[in-house]
Amino acid sequence: NAGVMQNPRHLVRRRGQEARLRCSPMKGHSHVYWYRQLPEEGLKFMVYLQKENIIDESGMPKERFSAEFPKEGPSILRIQQVVRGDSAAYFCASSPQSLGKRHYGYTFGSGTRLTVV
Amino acid sequence: QQQVKQSPQSLIVQKGGIPIINCAYENTAFDYFPWYQQFPGKGPALLIAIRPDVSEKKEGRFTISFNKSAKQFSLHIMDSQPGDSATYFCAPRGNYQLIWGAGTKLIIKP
């Protein structure tokens, strides 16, 4: 019963390169959330996706960042032309369905630590 | 706009002591009040959570106290152990978004 799987665990990119972060939700979970954590800070919401749908991307920078959750395969967070300020830990969480009154549980992955050099 | 204020930033407690971490919020629409525990290099893990219709919840050595009128909730760790050393986050929920506090780095000295 694997939890939320994120890979790679660590990713180093030079400025200007692209970073692709993958998240496989828990079995049976169809909702995925991406969060970013800067050092010594809490997590900041980026985007909420269901299969083939972006539900809310209000926390995601308008430029260079995109996310998808295809019908088959993991959710991908893509950062184009990375800059030093993109260095952070990126966490993915999943839930079994929309978090209405009766469902409160998010399960987080171990994160991808992106370092831009 | 800071919606969630967590305090203290860091805390050192002797083994067996009772660390208390506080979280103050502004948004009265929050409907779920969890505490997460995060170890270095790991993702946050749900520790304990409370709904706003309850004033206290206890799970093992962990207790949440909730004061709706003051818009505050706190985490108490009874009989703290060195293995409890971690960063703790409050993250009240509005709709599906968790709004995270800045974290409290807790160290339990043996």
Side-chain angles (χ1 to χ4, degrees):
Chain A
N1 185 16
V4 176
M5 304 300 292
Q6 287 189 250
N7 65 81
R9 290 296 306 275
H10 300 275
L11 183 60
V12 179
R13 284 286 176 266
R14 294 187 187 281
R15 280 179 296 172
Q17 290 185 319
E18 179 180 285
R20 278 185 179 236
L21 288 61
R22 292 176 204 80
C23 170
S24 296
M26 278 188 73
K27 190 175 180 182
H29 286 194
S30 57
H31 297 240
V32 165
Y33 315 80
W34 285 93
Y35 284 79
R36 176 164 64 177
Q37 185 178 32
L38 296 172
E40 310 298 322
E41 291 188 16
L43 282 67
K44 296 282 193 294
F45 169 79
M46 297 182 74
V47 62
Y48 163 32
L49 309 109
Q50 296 175 23
K51 288 274 185 187
E52 299 184 283
N53 272 315
I54 296 175
I55 306 303
D56 181 352
E57 56 183 346
S58 60
M60 205 149 69
K62 295 277 184 272
E63 315 218 330
R64 302 188 298 106
F65 284 72
S66 61
E68 62 175 8
F69 189 14
K71 191 175 179 182
E72 302 290 337
S75 174
I76 306 282
L77 179 67
R78 185 177 173 213
I79 311 172
Q80 295 179 289
Q81 298 175 320
V82 295
V83 301
R84 288 238 169 91
D86 297 333
S87 296
Y90 292 83
F91 289 96
C92 166
S94 71
S95 70
Q97 62 184 69
S98 181
L99 292 177
K101 291 293 183 185
R102 289 181 297 154
H103 297 276
Y104 297 95
Y106 292 85
T107 303
F108 280 86
S110 293
T112 293
R113 276 137 192 92
L114 172 65
T115 302
V116 179
V117 297
Chain B
Q1 182 187 354
Q2 194 172 0
Q3 295 192 53
V4 176
K5 283 187 186 174
Q6 187 175 335
S7 61
Q9 273 189 314
S10 61
L11 188 56
I12 300 174
V13 171
Q14 209 68 34
K15 179 186 170 186
I18 306 175
I20 300 173
I21 305 171
N22 300 299
C23 191
Y25 62 94
E26 296 171 5
N27 188 344
T28 55
F30 287 147
D31 64 353
Y32 168 63
F33 299 86
W35 284 96
Y36 280 82
Q37 180 188 56
Q38 186 178 29
F39 293 105
K42 299 290 186 186
L46 178 64
L47 188 62
I48 187 171
I50 199 167
R51 286 163 47 180
D53 53 350
V54 177
S55 61
E56 186 175 280
K57 182 176 179 181
K58 196 172 186 176
E59 284 183 1
R61 295 184 294 108
F62 301 94
T63 301
I64 291 184
S65 297
F66 181 71
N67 186 331
K68 191 173 182 177
S69 60
K71 291 190 281 186
Q72 290 182 352
F73 63 111
S74 60
L75 174 69
H76 302 228
I77 306 176
M78 312 300 286
D79 188 27
S80 57
Q81 302 295 316
D84 297 329
S85 298
T87 302
Y88 292 80
F89 294 94
C90 63
R93 188 187 75 160
N95 289 321
Y96 47 78
Q97 281 192 36
L98 297 175
I99 309 299
W100 295 73
T104 297
K105 190 168 185 177
L106 174 65
I107 296 172
I108 306 298
K109 283 188 154 185

